[in-house]
Amino acid sequence: MVTVAVWLLFAVAALQLISVVLDLSQAGTIADATEAAYRGTGDEEARRTGVIIGTVAGAVIGAVLAIAYIVLAFFNNRGKNPARITTWVLAGLGVCCGTIGVIAGAASSSFNFGGSDDGPDPADVQRQVNDALPSWYNPIAITLGVLVLLALLAVIILLALPPANEFFRKPQQVWQPPAYPQAGGYPQPGGYPAPGSYYPPPAQPPAPGIPPAPPPPGGQPAPPPPGGQPPAGYEPPGGSTPTAPPAPGGPQG
């Protein structure tokens, strides 16, 4: 559903650009016919300028809408829900304006730029403009408007269907604990280390110039350092207990 809506948005953008090119190609003809219809009233230059400004402004708006539809198609294809909401709003406005434009074009509504009461009849002005335009212009313009209108209606409906809701629904964000290394280098399922499986701290190398202490013979504890007192429960090798030297000046014996 969303894929079809995305391609329809691209199609609407292309139709908008075609309409822009079509209107610009006939802007001079419409301006000349309007000027001729108002000739002698003193208002012909203003009418001609108004037609040109209106045509250029409409072309700019059409080009901006085409770019907007392309951007919305790109973000809708990526599942961005704000883009879907913006598409609904913009497409809804396009349907309303497109309906009015198609009805006005089919009814051949007059160009009315607010002239004076003594000016020519707007119906006569419209008739002269239609006579100056090529015979294929109005049918193509009306067809393009109808196609844009139908495509925008389809986009609104497709983006509102349940499959589109599933596509735009954001996945639930679940916090995952970081994975710790374990013995063997293989992480445990779920990211947690196995009990008792961790990397021991690396052994510190001995200081330069000091050889490592050899292990004590027979499993006996190492002797105390020179000048220090033996710790409690210390027994030197051979079972003899050393006696402290007598204090100077004390009794001998």
Side-chain angles (χ1 to χ4, degrees):
M1 296 297 179
V2 177
T3 303
V4 176
V6 168
W7 283 108
L8 285 176
L9 286 174
F10 284 125
V12 169
L15 293 174
Q16 287 281 356
L17 293 177
I18 294 174
S19 298
V20 167
V21 174
L22 184 66
D23 292 340
L24 290 178
S25 66
Q26 300 301 320
T29 302
I30 298 175
D32 293 339
T34 303
E35 182 182 8
Y38 282 91
R39 185 171 292 121
T41 62
D43 200 22
E44 57 269 14
E45 289 296 331
R47 297 290 177 168
R48 178 183 179 88
T49 303
V51 169
I52 294 176
I53 292 176
T55 304
V56 173
V60 171
I61 294 175
V64 171
L65 287 176
I67 296 174
Y69 287 133
I70 292 174
V71 173
L72 289 175
F74 175 76
F75 284 105
N76 278 307
N77 192 44
R78 299 186 62 180
K80 303 297 183 181
N81 198 53
R84 178 171 69 154
I85 298 174
T86 306
T87 303
W88 279 334
V89 175
L90 191 61
L93 294 175
V95 168
C96 295
C97 297
T99 302
I100 296 174
V102 169
I103 294 176
S108 298
S109 61
S110 63
F111 290 95
N112 191 354
F113 298 100
S116 59
D117 295 337
D118 56 352
D121 187 6
D124 293 336
V125 175
Q126 180 63 44
R127 191 160 39 249
Q128 294 185 38
V129 171
N130 290 336
D131 292 340
L133 289 171
S135 59
W136 49 263
Y137 175 80
N138 283 329
I140 291 180
I142 295 175
T143 302
L144 290 175
V146 172
L147 291 177
V148 170
L149 178 62
L150 295 177
L152 290 178
L153 283 173
V155 168
I156 294 175
I157 295 173
L158 289 174
L159 293 181
L161 293 178
N165 295 332
E166 294 293 333
F167 180 79
F168 285 97
R169 182 174 293 126
K170 291 184 177 180
Q172 185 180 4
Q173 300 293 332
V174 180
W175 179 82
Q176 293 292 340
Y180 294 95
Q182 62 172 359
Y186 296 98
Q188 289 290 322
Y192 293 97
S197 60
Y198 60 92
Y199 287 115
Q204 298 294 331
I210 301 178
Q220 296 295 329
Q229 296 296 328
Y234 169 76
E235 292 184 5
S240 60
T241 303
T243 57
Q252 302 292 328

